[in-house]
Amino acid sequence: NCSWGSFGGGQYGQDIVDYATINKGRLVVAASGNSNNEAPFFPASYDGVLSVTGTNNTDTKWVNSSYGAFVDISAPGEAVYSTIFDNTYSFSSGTSFASPIVAAAAALVWSANPGLQPLQVAEQLRATADDIYAVPGNASYVNKLGKGRLNMLRALTETPKSVRMQDILIVDGNDNAFSGNDTLRITGLLLNYLQPLTNLSVTITCNSPDVTILN
């Protein structure tokens, strides 16, 4: 668990995450940050890291939680009862408190399913999270709080299917300096993390009225 971080990542940090994940078989879980914006925060934004943002007891984004496409999952991050200095306990808030909750959940899932690889454990948590985007307070953060709020029971009892796209490449067949009226070709690798599946279909959509999907 990494309840720390800063803005601005680099290849050295990504190499460390890759070494921990691939070479050592460990899952890196990290806090998304407490800046109330969607600027990428590191190590949470590195590939292979399970990025955690914070929610309150109504499943609404905690007021200072960072958010964005780099976030994988949400967990309680407001008024969390935990240890502090001088051998005492108190209530504290922040994604630094949400992240270890998810790390502990990952440990339980891994203990129950010791054959899983690190990123499969992360995907099990993501795929069984509860959708919180219908909560009124989250209307401005759709698809920016991860797959939802951690659900420990579902993570331990369900067998979800999950396919994610990675290694995305976008080219224009010319100079790759994208401009108006360019036709772009998108390719990528689809990775099945969990249960076997068949008849997979993929649909591309875009929220921008300036983009037309041709095929």
Side-chain angles (χ1 to χ4, degrees), residues 19-200:
Y19 179 75
T21 306
I22 300 170
N23 296 76
K24 293 299 182 181
R26 302 294 185 260
L27 174 63
V28 181
V29 183
S32 69
N34 305 322
S35 300
N36 190 29
N37 60 39
E38 51 187 313
F41 195 70
F42 296 87
S45 294
Y46 285 126
D47 292 340
V49 175
L50 185 61
S51 175
V52 184
T53 196
T55 52
N56 61 23
N57 61 4
T58 64
D59 278 340
T60 304
K61 184 185 86 72
W62 174 58
V63 61
N64 290 324
S65 288
S66 295
Y67 53 93
F70 70 94
V71 174
D72 291 302
I73 195 170
S74 301
E78 181 180 79
V80 178
Y81 195 60
S82 183
T83 55
I84 59 171
F85 50 86
D86 292 339
N87 292 324
T88 55
Y89 291 80
S90 182
F91 291 95
S92 302
S93 299
T95 60
S96 287
F97 295 88
S99 184
I101 290 174
V102 172
L108 289 173
V109 168
W110 220 337
S111 178
N113 304 276
L116 294 180
Q117 296 299 310
L119 297 185
Q120 288 182 297
V121 174
E123 197 60 25
Q124 179 73 16
L125 296 174
R126 287 182 74 260
T128 56
D130 288 342
D131 189 339
I132 58 174
Y133 289 118
V135 177
N138 294 333
S140 299
Y141 307 104
V142 174
N143 297 325
K144 297 180 180 181
L145 304 176
K147 286 289 289 181
R149 192 252 305 121
L150 171 73
N151 185 318
M152 192 70 258
L153 177 62
R154 293 183 61 195
L156 286 170
T157 58
E158 295 185 6
T159 54
K161 297 178 180 180
S162 183
V163 175
R164 301 182 70 181
M165 192 171 189
Q166 59 184 26
D167 296 332
I168 298 174
L169 177 65
I170 305 176
V171 298
D172 65 1
N174 184 20
D175 55 7
N176 289 330
F178 306 153
S179 59
N181 296 318
D182 262 359
T183 298
L184 308 181
R185 181 179 296 273
I186 302 172
T187 58
L189 176 67
L190 295 173
L191 181 61
N192 181 19
Y193 281 83
L194 298 173
Q195 302 302 315
L197 54 81
T198 57
N199 299 322
L200 175 69

